[in-house]
Structures are given as structure tokens and as C-alpha cells.
Amino acid sequence: RLIDSTLAEVCTGGHITFSMVDLRAVPQSDVNSLAVVVERDETVEPYFYHDIDSGLWINEYGRGYAVYTAADWFADYLNTPTPSSARLFHALVTRLAQPPITLDGPMCITMNVREQADGTWAVHLHNAPGSAYSYPCPPQAKFLHAVGEVVPVHNLVLRIPGREIAAAHSGVSEEVFEVRADNCVQIPKISLHEVVVISFDR
């Protein structure tokens, strides 16, 4: 159960479910507790639920952070991927370190950014065939679409806080993209792959 209101907003009902055994630990007084494990006591009727303070916490060490989770998020997501798990991990990481660029779009779009010699950014956007997580382990057919099936995605938005965007265009087709008044780049459509070349005001 997420007791941190900001993180609770990204998960329906303020809870995140894991399909594996949790590790119990006792946090020190100087940590920032964000979630607790909810345990069901099946020895009484009706079932009694109580919180155990060993779910998720963070602590600052110098310029970095230590993050403790009662379950292995990565292994759990590999075996049983859910949008809530991805949203929770994203919300936690971006809370600790603000990313230099973000993408408003569905989970099936992956993004990689390279700064080029002239100072421009080449933002590679890939529309992943199939689901948002294409390679579960062990493989499960229900997570995959038909081979080669790609559904175009519309109205993506790139946000680069703290930088003044001068212009943006496609490195594939040379199409000029709109730079909005709120300093974002609007990409009207991506089929399979797009490279957005962004230049900044000096």
C-alpha cells in the first residue's frame, strides 16, 4: 500500500501487487517510507489486514539515494508485466532525478537520445511491434501481437525542461515539427521509427 500520495496517484487504489515473496526488513528512523506491505491474516474470519512497515523506502547518501523495495521489481515485471508497475517505477525514478527529456505517449514507444557534435539532439523514437513489453520470460503468446504488426501512434509530445528549443525536424523525412509555446515538440505521427533532430537557442 503506497502511503506516499504522489506515488499513490499513479496506481489504481493506491496499491501495487507483486506475485512473489516479499523480504521483511525494519527501516531506520532516518528513512523516508513510501509504502508498506499489506498482510492478510487467514487465521481469523473475516480476514484481517494489517500493515508491515517494510514495503518501500528511500534514504539520501551524499549526492545519491538508496532505494529499498520489499520485492524484486525487475524480476516481477519480467514475469508479470503490468502498467501499474511501470508507472510506479517511472514515478519513483523521476522523483529522485529529473530527466533531461520526457515523452508524452503510450508505453509502446521507446526513446533514445544522442547529443551530436554540433550540439543538436537526435531523438530516436521506435514504435515497438506488439505490446509494451514484447519479451516476457518465460515467453507467453498473450503478450505478443502478430509478427510485424505495427499500429501508428499519433500526437506525441517531447518535453525538454530548462532548454529553449529553437527548431525541430525529422532526420528521416526532413518534415518540420511544431515547437509549441510551452517549449515542447509536437510529433503528429510515428509509424515505426522516427528521428527528431532538435536544435537549441544558444
Side-chain angles (χ1 to χ4, degrees):
R1 180 174 65 85
L2 293 160
I3 59 177
D4 179 86
S5 59
T6 303
L7 295 181
E9 289 179 2
V10 306
C11 295
T12 304
H15 290 79
I16 188 78
T17 301
F18 293 99
S19 60
M20 58 175 46
V21 177
D22 61 284
L23 176 67
R24 302 295 167 85
V26 179
Q28 298 296 312
S29 60
D30 61 343
V31 303
N32 183 9
S33 186
L34 306 176
V36 295
V37 173
V38 178
E39 184 178 68
R40 183 172 77 171
D41 188 344
E42 298 185 2
T43 63
V44 294
E45 291 283 351
Y47 295 140
F48 174 70
Y49 294 85
H50 59 95
D51 295 340
I52 300 173
D53 193 13
S54 64
L56 169 66
W57 67 74
I58 60 175
N59 200 359
E60 292 187 46
Y61 291 97
R63 296 172 57 191
Y65 298 89
V67 180
Y68 169 85
T69 62
D72 187 342
W73 280 1
F74 300 102
D76 186 77
Y77 187 78
L78 185 65
N79 289 289
T80 53
T82 64
S84 291
S85 294
R87 287 195 295 266
L88 176 61
F89 183 73
H90 174 269
L92 178 61
V93 170
T94 55
R95 171 182 179 153
L96 299 179
Q98 179 66 37
I101 183 171
T102 59
L103 171 69
D104 293 350
M107 289 174 60
C108 62
I109 303 295
T110 60
M111 176 175 65
N112 292 282
V113 184
R114 297 290 181 269
E115 183 172 1
Q116 304 186 109
D118 61 358
T120 60
W121 287 9
V123 183
H124 289 258
L125 301 174
H126 296 269
N127 186 0
S131 68
Y133 188 78
S134 303
Y135 305 101
C137 182
Q140 300 174 37
K142 65 182 179 180
F143 288 106
L144 303 176
H145 289 192
V147 176
E149 180 181 358
V150 178
V151 179
V153 178
H154 299 264
N155 299 321
L156 300 171
V157 178
L158 290 172
R159 301 180 183 277
I160 306 177
R163 299 290 300 270
E164 291 294 326
I165 302 173
H169 70 274
S170 169
V172 177
S173 67
E174 298 298 329
E175 175 187 358
V176 175
F177 296 123
E178 176 189 358
V179 177
R180 300 186 337 198
D182 57 354
N183 203 43
C184 297
V185 178
Q186 183 85 36
I187 298 97
K189 177 182 176 181
I190 173 176
S191 294
L192 181 61
H193 175 228
E194 181 62 87
V195 181
V196 182
V197 181
I198 300 175
S199 58
F200 301 96
D201 288 330
R202 299 295 180 183

